[in-house]
């Protein structure tokens, strides 16, 4: 799991995935989240100052959510529903 101080832009997220990646709107603890699956994709995020970070590494299936000031990314081969359960069990 990765934790980043910053947020994501959902419109940017939808534009940055390739044709083999599926983005699904899901919920983590009742809040909007995204499940990315299928083809590999890059992960970008924005710091509170607006700087975009681009770690340039391919990632597999992942759950992405934010509490407003912090973004969480959980890569998992467990599938969507089980990964959401794991995310909701985190403190």
């Amino acid at each position: 799991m990765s934790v980043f101080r910053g947020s994501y832009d959902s419109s940017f997220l939808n534009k940055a995935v390739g044709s083999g990646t599926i983005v699904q709107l899901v919920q983590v603890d009742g809040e909007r989240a995204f499940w990315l699956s299928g083809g590999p994709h890059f992960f970008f995020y924005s710091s509170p100052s607006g700087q975009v970070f681009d770690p340039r590494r391919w990632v597999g299936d992942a759950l992405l959510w934010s509490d407003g000031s912090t973004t969480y990314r959980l890569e998992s081969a467990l599938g969507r529903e089980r990964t959401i359960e794991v995310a909701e069990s985190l403190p």
Side-chain angles (χ1 to χ4, degrees), residues 2 6 14 16 25 27 29 39 55-56 60-62 65 68 74 80 83:
S2 302
N14 284 311
L25 183 61
Q27 291 190 347
D29 288 327
R56 283 287 174 190
D61 292 355
W65 74 101
L74 180 58
R80 184 183 71 190
T83 303

Side-chain angles (χ1 to χ4, degrees), residues 27-44:
Q27 291 190 347
V28 171
D29 288 327
E31 298 295 327
R32 183 174 69 164
F34 298 93
W35 174 248
L36 289 87
S37 62
H41 56 277
F42 285 114
F43 175 71
F44 304 87

Side-chain angles (χ1 to χ4, degrees), residues 2-90:
S2 302
V3 179
F4 305 91
R5 190 162 184 266
S7 61
Y8 56 80
D9 179 336
S10 60
S11 61
F12 183 71
L13 175 77
N14 284 311
K15 293 176 185 174
V17 297
S19 62
T21 303
I22 299 166
V23 179
Q24 296 175 303
L25 183 61
V26 296
Q27 291 190 347
V28 171
D29 288 327
E31 298 295 327
R32 183 174 69 164
F34 298 93
W35 174 248
L36 289 87
S37 62
H41 56 277
F42 285 114
F43 175 71
F44 304 87
Y45 67 99
S46 300
S47 72
S49 67
Q51 181 180 5
V52 175
F53 289 89
D54 172 8
R56 283 287 174 190
R57 68 181 193 89
W58 289 100
V59 296
D61 292 355
L63 181 64
L64 181 68
W65 74 101
S66 177
D67 66 9
S69 62
T70 304
T71 294
Y72 304 89
R73 184 183 62 82
L74 180 58
E75 270 187 70
S76 174
L78 297 173
R80 184 183 71 190
E81 298 307 316
R82 181 68 183 118
T83 303
I84 291 171
E85 290 175 11
V86 169
E88 291 179 333
S89 73
L90 298 171

